[in-house]
Amino acid sequence: MSDTLFRALDLIEPGDLVLYHGSITDRHGLYLAIPCDCIPCVRDNHRGSNDVRYRLTDPFEEEPDAPTLRCARRESLTRSTANA
């Protein structure tokens, strides 16, 4: 698929920059989104679940030991315009 189609559909690909606006308000901001690889998420994906969740990491690696956000729901993310 072309990048234009992904942008038009607002789909998130691995490594895309996203804005997190979910329930953990003190963690709102810009992150790299990678499909979550925790055991429950991998199991759900294997079973065919349409509820894709993401692991969010610091895009600038300013804090290498900073905790990541795991199992972030798609509804809590907006694809950043910086991906264009």
Side-chain angles (χ1 to χ4, degrees):
M1 284 189 169
S2 71
D3 290 340
T4 305
L5 181 58
F6 279 114
R7 284 193 302 272
L9 296 175
D10 197 30
L11 296 176
I12 296 174
E13 290 192 85
D16 276 352
L17 289 170
V18 296
L19 294 169
Y20 173 73
H21 48 79
S23 60
I24 307 172
T25 56
D26 61 330
R27 299 298 300 268
H28 286 184
L30 187 67
Y31 293 91
L32 280 176
I34 300 166
C36 190
D37 57 358
C38 73
I39 292 172
C41 287
V42 170
R43 182 189 63 228
D44 290 345
N45 289 339
H46 181 69
R47 290 180 178 167
S49 173
N50 291 331
D51 185 22
V52 177
R53 295 185 181 237
Y54 296 90
R55 179 171 45 98
L56 306 178
T57 61
D58 181 8
F60 306 110
E61 298 182 18
E62 293 173 352
E63 298 179 43
D65 297 330
T68 61
L69 286 169
R70 292 190 163 271
C71 306
R73 295 176 19 198
R74 174 62 183 95
E75 295 80 18
S76 300
L77 306 174
T78 302
R79 191 170 190 267
S80 173
T81 56
N83 291 303

